[in-house]
Amino acid sequence: ESLFNSGCRDFFVSSLIEAIELRNNLSQVNIYLSNGIRKGQEQEFEKYNLIPIINSLGEAQIVEDFGKRINNY
């Protein structure tokens, strides 16, 4: 919380568990997950408002497919 109190609003973490724990403590920040997104994690990213860092074409496809599903494309 000291980083937040110092004005930090962008946080980079390496695991989904770490991202969720951070979100539970800080609701008004951007949380980036450096390990990207795996198939089956899409709902957690949406629920906790997490931002994946896309590391491969496969991860880009996961995000695109999920976006199409939730937006009824």
Side-chain angles (χ1 to χ4, degrees), residues 2-30:
S2 63
L3 288 173
F4 179 80
N5 292 335
S6 296
C8 184
R9 297 298 181 263
D10 296 296
F11 292 82
F12 294 81
V13 298
S14 61
S15 75
L16 184 58
I17 292 170
E18 185 180 11
I20 292 170
E21 288 176 1
L22 183 59
R23 174 60 70 217
N24 288 332
N25 291 305
L26 299 173
S27 62
Q28 300 174 338
V29 300
N30 298 315

Side-chain angles (χ1 to χ4, degrees), residues 2-69:
S2 63
L3 288 173
F4 179 80
N5 292 335
S6 296
C8 184
R9 297 298 181 263
D10 296 296
F11 292 82
F12 294 81
V13 298
S14 61
S15 75
L16 184 58
I17 292 170
E18 185 180 11
I20 292 170
E21 288 176 1
L22 183 59
R23 174 60 70 217
N24 288 332
N25 291 305
L26 299 173
S27 62
Q28 300 174 338
V29 300
N30 298 315
I31 301 174
Y32 299 88
L33 190 61
S34 62
N35 284 343
I37 187 170
R38 305 285 180 265
K39 188 87 170 144
Q41 294 179 333
E42 301 94 337
Q43 284 74 28
E44 284 84 10
F45 274 80
E46 181 181 27
K47 178 179 179 179
Y48 294 101
N49 192 26
L50 305 173
I51 304 165
I53 295 176
I54 305 300
N55 297 303
S56 69
L57 291 175
E59 289 179 10
Q61 190 66 55
I62 291 169
V63 171
E64 181 180 8
D65 292 345
F66 184 66
K68 287 178 181 177
R69 283 196 312 270

